Amino acid sequence: MKQKWYQTTIAKGILIIAEHAFLLIMVCCFMCLMSYPVLRSEMFSGTHAEKYEDTKTFADQVLHTGQGISSALGRREVFETDGAYDPEKIINVGNYNQGESTDAENPGSLSYRLGDLVSWGKTAGSGSEEQDSYEDNIVVCRRADGTYHYYYYSEFQELIQNGDLSFVMASDESGMTQEDILLSLKERTFSTEGTETFKGVQDKDNRILYVDCWNYDGYWCKEEYKTVEGKSILEVANEDEAWNGHLSDAFDTVESAVLSIYWEVDQYRSILESYQEGDTNFTYLYVDQTAKQIISNREEYQMGEDLETTLNKIRESGKYAIIYPRLADFETNMKNVNAEEWRSTLQVQGNDDAYVFALSVDTSYPVQDSFYTESQLYEEYGGRAVWVFAAGGAALLLFVLGLVILTAGAGYNRRDEELHLMAFDHWKTEISACLIFLAWFVPVILVGTNISVSSVVSYDEYGNMIQTGGSQIGPYISTGNMIMIGLLALYTCALFLTGYLSLVRRIKAKILWKNSLIRSLGHFLKTIFRNMHIVWKRILIFAVIVLFHWMAFFSYGNIFFFGLMVLAEILVFIYLIRDAIGKHKIQKGIEQIAGGQVDYKIDIAGLSEEQKDIAENINSIGEGLDRALEKSIKSERLKTDLITNVSHDIKTPLTSIINYVELLKQENFQDPKIQRYIEILEAKSQRLKTLTEDVVEASKVSSGNITLEFMNINFVEMIQQTSGEFEEKFKARNLTEVLTLPEEEVIIWVDGRRMWRVLENIYNNAAKYAMEGTRVYADLKVVDGKAVFSLKNISQQPLNISADELTERFIRGDISRSTEGSGLGLSIAKTLTEMQGGKFELYLDGDLFRVTITF
């Protein structure tokens, strides 16, 4: 057979290693492209600029920076007074959340100072505390007209204890004191629902102020500051009809504004501070033509000189863009700019008609800011995009090519043309897929969470470059993260190839669907329907149990359904016990009959009708076996007698014939015909003698009639199959098999069925009589052209008999082994081995027992 190179183990190993290398190259190229925006831009645009300021990435960086500036400028009206940040400015949080401005003359009840809101937001952090964590809570009191009054519990407790307020109960028989009600309010367990004893809350003049009260269970947050009028949110809700009954909305409105203002003020101030003159190469100029106001980070541009003169300076400073309300007036000397996108993105809130917004970058880069850093990076790495993309593409093509070759060679080897499956290929298809996925998903999620996203360069919405390397020129992904991502890629590739190649082998062997759980489930359901006349009782019992359990579960403690469930369980318990006892009786009867006690009768008392029919049929089988056994014994006896008698009867005249032939040979006959006749007589008589001896020898085997069919047998595979068959028996007695086999095939010329019987007998002998917890050694070697197989173990009991006696029929090693076995196993194994031309040897040394078979 001509071997295909891709089917060899070496070729497959090299391809698998190469696949991991190709994937690693692809991942490295991808990380390089994704971590450096300029490379991405070049890759997708298909162009290469000589300088960074001519790339689309540069234009995007300018746009994102301008977006941050425009957002900060849009908050001036909210956060500034006379062009400067004003912490005393009054903010109506309701209007702020809706994007409306605050009326200075009538700010509203929920209005705070800007500085207080910012400080509050800094304290609040990422979110408010849970109200259950506060020492205080809120008590809600309802008036007869349907309005509400809110108290903090500490305030309400003081009013009750001072006598300013008191609870009104229908009678003293309720058993609840003022302190009891206060305590239940503190613990948030007080409720007036379903009771008529609570009549309300009265003042010291015995006037009913509130008809009901309870603990507030809506949303609220801890107040850090009061309103501009010095009131708490509860006081505002008590006095303002708009918030009365909507306390949760009031708290939510305040907290949303607090967190939003804190974040926006921080961004507003940090953006403007980040791009101060002297700290950046970026210049912005915003002219509000309606308000006649000029805002810029360059002091000279705010001096009030002619606008066109200022714009000309910007045009001469490097790369620039000038945005007007009209798209036709848009100006820029940058490439890759979408004028409409820039105008909509850089729109300053509150001014749509009369403005000029100019942005520029001094491309001589006098300041080492992010623009300078990107320019230096581009100068060093920018021209490599094509090569990085080409390397990644080539690795991808080679990976696919390697996958195709591995697909073609999957399941085949150099020894034969048969398909060979691995142990994993025999697992259920869905289980294998789930295990592969989980083995990949869990580690990737656990390790992936430790990979810092900030290590990859990007820009926030305000144009700030986010990176961990500072101004260092080089890759933006740390070495640790690079190694971690590479290891994840290799791990992913290993699991992918494991699952994919197993899938290919399953498809080739046509077991993908055969080993499917869905198919198994379908066959199971099909079996149920086919045997419905047998299993319908069990299905009915199961359905009743399930029904009663669910009825009891959804009845919420109903005693009737609970009783039905208990009754059903008792009946099922009785049924299962009786069924188990009946099965045990039947099993015992089968074991007795199978063990040779064919006259054994199963007691049918107490069995169900179904089990009674089975027991009666088994008893009938025992009677039939008894009759057949008697007939067989009689036949065997006649056969043995015939062989013995015929052999004896033939042996006497045959001996005479041989003797007379010898006498005739001593006569000096000259006639060649007579000499020929004597030679024929001698040959035939010797052949008849050999045949007679062979018949007598073959009769020693239990069957008495053996026909051997010799063929080429791979001794390695036969031993492996036998080992697999006895794996469970060995495990049952805690025996560990140490199997040593050659890698190449070992071919012997034997009868396969008889050779299997030989191996089965000696393995069964080890499984029965080896000491528990020990090892069983099975070794196959090729020595001087002979196949030598040995099986050795430590006997559970001392061996008090010779090796020769153990191979005789009806002989056992010692009295402790008299409980099972007939003493024929080793004798039959030896006879069959020798009949096939092999050699069967036993070696005993104390408790050591070894069988050696040689072909």
mmCIF file of all heavy atoms in Angstrom, residues 46 54 101 174 180 183 204 232 288 292 298 374 434 447 474 497 513 541 612 669 740 752 777 821:
data_model
loop_
_atom_site.group_PDB
_atom_site.id
_atom_site.type_symbol
_atom_site.label_atom_id
_atom_site.label_comp_id
_atom_site.label_asym_id
_atom_site.label_seq_id
_atom_site.Cartn_x
_atom_site.Cartn_y
_atom_site.Cartn_z
ATOM 1 N N GLY A 46 -6.561 51.793 2.100
ATOM 2 C CA GLY A 46 -5.725 51.330 0.996
ATOM 3 C C GLY A 46 -4.720 52.369 0.522
ATOM 4 O O GLY A 46 -4.142 52.242 -0.553
ATOM 5 N N ASP A 54 -1.539 63.863 7.348
ATOM 6 C CA ASP A 54 -2.284 63.620 6.107
ATOM 7 C C ASP A 54 -3.150 62.363 6.193
ATOM 8 O O ASP A 54 -3.769 61.974 5.194
ATOM 9 C CB ASP A 54 -1.309 63.493 4.933
ATOM 10 C CG ASP A 54 -0.597 64.810 4.641
ATOM 11 O OD1 ASP A 54 -1.206 65.867 4.859
ATOM 12 O OD2 ASP A 54 0.582 64.755 4.208
ATOM 13 N N SER A 101 -33.095 75.769 31.120
ATOM 14 C CA SER A 101 -32.326 76.667 31.978
ATOM 15 C C SER A 101 -33.136 77.047 33.208
ATOM 16 O O SER A 101 -34.353 76.904 33.251
ATOM 17 C CB SER A 101 -31.930 77.928 31.198
ATOM 18 O OG SER A 101 -33.094 78.607 30.741
ATOM 19 N N SER A 174 -56.072 46.056 72.248
ATOM 20 C CA SER A 174 -55.197 45.728 71.117
ATOM 21 C C SER A 174 -53.845 45.224 71.574
ATOM 22 O O SER A 174 -53.183 44.477 70.875
ATOM 23 C CB SER A 174 -55.013 46.963 70.230
ATOM 24 O OG SER A 174 -54.373 47.990 70.975
ATOM 25 N N ASP A 180 -44.518 50.306 71.177
ATOM 26 C CA ASP A 180 -44.561 49.141 70.282
ATOM 27 C C ASP A 180 -44.704 49.588 68.824
ATOM 28 O O ASP A 180 -44.042 49.060 67.918
ATOM 29 C CB ASP A 180 -45.717 48.218 70.658
ATOM 30 C CG ASP A 180 -45.481 47.519 71.990
ATOM 31 O OD1 ASP A 180 -44.302 47.395 72.376
ATOM 32 O OD2 ASP A 180 -46.468 47.107 72.628
ATOM 33 N N LEU A 183 -41.492 51.124 67.634
ATOM 34 C CA LEU A 183 -40.496 50.092 67.362
ATOM 35 C C LEU A 183 -40.759 49.394 66.026
ATOM 36 O O LEU A 183 -39.838 49.140 65.248
ATOM 37 C CB LEU A 183 -40.481 49.061 68.494
ATOM 38 C CG LEU A 183 -39.457 47.921 68.345
ATOM 39 C CD1 LEU A 183 -38.038 48.488 68.302
ATOM 40 C CD2 LEU A 183 -39.603 46.923 69.486
ATOM 41 N N LYS A 204 -51.591 67.150 70.352
ATOM 42 C CA LYS A 204 -51.773 67.227 71.801
ATOM 43 C C LYS A 204 -53.173 67.726 72.171
ATOM 44 O O LYS A 204 -53.613 67.546 73.305
ATOM 45 C CB LYS A 204 -50.706 68.135 72.406
ATOM 46 C CG LYS A 204 -50.753 69.576 71.892
ATOM 47 C CD LYS A 204 -49.753 70.462 72.613
ATOM 48 C CE LYS A 204 -48.337 69.934 72.435
ATOM 49 N NZ LYS A 204 -47.336 70.830 73.108
ATOM 50 N N SER A 232 -34.861 70.548 53.239
ATOM 51 C CA SER A 232 -34.582 69.182 52.806
ATOM 52 C C SER A 232 -35.600 68.771 51.754
ATOM 53 O O SER A 232 -36.599 69.467 51.524
ATOM 54 C CB SER A 232 -34.658 68.223 53.996
ATOM 55 O OG SER A 232 -35.988 68.138 54.477
ATOM 56 N N ASP A 288 -18.939 83.656 19.076
ATOM 57 C CA ASP A 288 -20.394 83.766 19.162
ATOM 58 C C ASP A 288 -20.763 85.139 18.610
ATOM 59 O O ASP A 288 -20.630 86.161 19.296
ATOM 60 C CB ASP A 288 -20.847 83.615 20.612
ATOM 61 C CG ASP A 288 -22.364 83.538 20.729
ATOM 62 O OD1 ASP A 288 -23.058 83.985 19.793
ATOM 63 O OD2 ASP A 288 -22.860 83.042 21.772
ATOM 64 N N LYS A 292 -21.386 88.508 20.573
ATOM 65 C CA LYS A 292 -20.139 89.237 20.393
ATOM 66 C C LYS A 292 -19.066 88.746 21.375
ATOM 67 O O LYS A 292 -18.375 89.515 22.028
ATOM 68 C CB LYS A 292 -20.355 90.751 20.573
ATOM 69 C CG LYS A 292 -21.429 91.363 19.712
ATOM 70 C CD LYS A 292 -21.086 91.216 18.228
ATOM 71 C CE LYS A 292 -22.165 91.895 17.374
ATOM 72 N NZ LYS A 292 -21.865 91.745 15.911
ATOM 73 N N ARG A 298 -5.862 80.492 22.963
ATOM 74 C CA ARG A 298 -4.737 81.357 22.627
ATOM 75 C C ARG A 298 -5.104 82.797 23.021
ATOM 76 O O ARG A 298 -6.098 83.351 22.545
ATOM 77 C CB ARG A 298 -4.428 81.294 21.127
ATOM 78 C CG ARG A 298 -3.908 79.947 20.656
ATOM 79 C CD ARG A 298 -2.466 79.718 21.120
ATOM 80 N NE ARG A 298 -1.922 78.492 20.564
ATOM 81 C CZ ARG A 298 -1.966 77.304 21.162
ATOM 82 N NH1 ARG A 298 -2.542 77.198 22.351
ATOM 83 N NH2 ARG A 298 -1.433 76.238 20.595
ATOM 84 N N GLU A 374 1.625 60.752 18.383
ATOM 85 C CA GLU A 374 1.079 60.005 17.244
ATOM 86 C C GLU A 374 1.910 60.232 15.987
ATOM 87 O O GLU A 374 2.105 59.315 15.179
ATOM 88 C CB GLU A 374 -0.373 60.431 17.000
ATOM 89 C CG GLU A 374 -1.355 59.918 18.030
ATOM 90 C CD GLU A 374 -1.496 58.416 17.970
ATOM 91 O OE1 GLU A 374 -2.000 57.891 16.962
ATOM 92 O OE2 GLU A 374 -1.070 57.756 18.934
ATOM 93 N N CYS A 434 -20.144 20.365 24.024
ATOM 94 C CA CYS A 434 -20.296 21.187 25.234
ATOM 95 C C CYS A 434 -19.007 21.207 26.052
ATOM 96 O O CYS A 434 -18.609 22.259 26.571
ATOM 97 C CB CYS A 434 -21.455 20.666 26.085
ATOM 98 S SG CYS A 434 -23.077 20.965 25.370
ATOM 99 N N VAL A 447 -9.379 34.502 32.342
ATOM 100 C CA VAL A 447 -8.129 35.177 32.001
ATOM 101 C C VAL A 447 -8.397 36.493 31.293
ATOM 102 O O VAL A 447 -7.711 37.491 31.517
ATOM 103 C CB VAL A 447 -7.253 34.255 31.119
ATOM 104 C CG1 VAL A 447 -5.988 34.976 30.678
ATOM 105 C CG2 VAL A 447 -6.906 32.979 31.863
ATOM 106 N N GLY A 474 6.198 53.312 20.865
ATOM 107 C CA GLY A 474 6.249 51.862 20.717
ATOM 108 C C GLY A 474 4.863 51.267 20.793
ATOM 109 O O GLY A 474 3.871 51.981 20.790
ATOM 110 N N LEU A 497 -8.794 22.591 17.200
ATOM 111 C CA LEU A 497 -8.327 21.448 16.407
ATOM 112 C C LEU A 497 -8.800 20.135 17.008
ATOM 113 O O LEU A 497 -9.166 19.202 16.275
ATOM 114 C CB LEU A 497 -6.803 21.462 16.305
ATOM 115 C CG LEU A 497 -6.191 22.583 15.453
ATOM 116 C CD1 LEU A 497 -4.683 22.516 15.488
ATOM 117 C CD2 LEU A 497 -6.695 22.516 14.015
ATOM 118 N N TRP A 513 -24.160 11.321 13.734
ATOM 119 C CA TRP A 513 -25.572 11.231 14.132
ATOM 120 C C TRP A 513 -25.813 9.996 14.998
ATOM 121 O O TRP A 513 -26.641 10.013 15.905
ATOM 122 C CB TRP A 513 -26.456 11.203 12.891
ATOM 123 C CG TRP A 513 -27.906 10.950 13.169
ATOM 124 C CD1 TRP A 513 -28.637 9.872 12.797
ATOM 125 C CD2 TRP A 513 -28.794 11.806 13.894
ATOM 126 N NE1 TRP A 513 -29.928 9.986 13.232
ATOM 127 C CE2 TRP A 513 -30.063 11.169 13.924
ATOM 128 C CE3 TRP A 513 -28.663 13.032 14.536
ATOM 129 C CZ2 TRP A 513 -31.177 11.723 14.543
ATOM 130 C CZ3 TRP A 513 -29.773 13.589 15.158
ATOM 131 C CH2 TRP A 513 -30.999 12.937 15.165
ATOM 132 N N ILE A 541 -47.751 5.426 36.611
ATOM 133 C CA ILE A 541 -47.351 5.687 38.006
ATOM 134 C C ILE A 541 -46.492 6.942 38.087
ATOM 135 O O ILE A 541 -46.691 7.797 38.954
ATOM 136 C CB ILE A 541 -46.595 4.467 38.568
ATOM 137 C CG1 ILE A 541 -47.559 3.274 38.717
ATOM 138 C CG2 ILE A 541 -45.960 4.793 39.911
ATOM 139 C CD1 ILE A 541 -46.852 1.988 39.081
ATOM 140 N N LYS A 612 -45.256 -13.360 37.985
ATOM 141 C CA LYS A 612 -45.644 -14.766 38.132
ATOM 142 C C LYS A 612 -45.536 -15.488 36.796
ATOM 143 O O LYS A 612 -45.044 -16.624 36.712
ATOM 144 C CB LYS A 612 -47.072 -14.853 38.672
ATOM 145 C CG LYS A 612 -47.504 -16.260 39.046
ATOM 146 C CD LYS A 612 -48.948 -16.264 39.547
ATOM 147 C CE LYS A 612 -49.042 -15.499 40.868
ATOM 148 N NZ LYS A 612 -50.422 -15.552 41.420
ATOM 149 N N PHE A 669 11.987 -59.721 -0.473
ATOM 150 C CA PHE A 669 11.197 -59.840 -1.703
ATOM 151 C C PHE A 669 11.900 -59.087 -2.815
ATOM 152 O O PHE A 669 12.283 -57.922 -2.659
ATOM 153 C CB PHE A 669 9.784 -59.271 -1.501
ATOM 154 C CG PHE A 669 8.949 -60.096 -0.555
ATOM 155 C CD1 PHE A 669 8.648 -59.639 0.720
ATOM 156 C CD2 PHE A 669 8.446 -61.338 -0.953
ATOM 157 C CE1 PHE A 669 7.865 -60.384 1.573
ATOM 158 C CE2 PHE A 669 7.676 -62.098 -0.080
ATOM 159 C CZ PHE A 669 7.369 -61.623 1.189
ATOM 160 N N THR A 740 1.733 -3.811 28.364
ATOM 161 C CA THR A 740 2.912 -3.416 27.584
ATOM 162 C C THR A 740 2.870 -4.133 26.248
ATOM 163 O O THR A 740 3.032 -5.370 26.197
ATOM 164 C CB THR A 740 4.204 -3.754 28.337
ATOM 165 O OG1 THR A 740 4.174 -3.152 29.638
ATOM 166 C CG2 THR A 740 5.410 -3.244 27.566
ATOM 167 N N GLY A 752 -8.811 -17.740 15.055
ATOM 168 C CA GLY A 752 -9.167 -16.566 15.844
ATOM 169 C C GLY A 752 -10.127 -16.858 16.979
ATOM 170 O O GLY A 752 -9.954 -16.384 18.107
ATOM 171 N N TYR A 777 0.131 -7.846 35.258
ATOM 172 C CA TYR A 777 1.060 -7.446 34.206
ATOM 173 C C TYR A 777 0.813 -8.295 32.958
ATOM 174 O O TYR A 777 0.862 -9.524 33.011
ATOM 175 C CB TYR A 777 2.501 -7.610 34.669
ATOM 176 C CG TYR A 777 2.881 -6.675 35.784
ATOM 177 C CD1 TYR A 777 2.690 -7.040 37.119
ATOM 178 C CD2 TYR A 777 3.418 -5.419 35.507
ATOM 179 C CE1 TYR A 777 3.025 -6.175 38.152
ATOM 180 C CE2 TYR A 777 3.762 -4.546 36.531
ATOM 181 C CZ TYR A 777 3.565 -4.922 37.852
ATOM 182 O OH TYR A 777 3.903 -4.059 38.860
ATOM 183 N N GLY A 821 -15.533 -22.203 39.349
ATOM 184 C CA GLY A 821 -14.619 -22.816 38.390
ATOM 185 C C GLY A 821 -14.698 -24.330 38.429
ATOM 186 O O GLY A 821 -14.983 -24.943 39.455
#
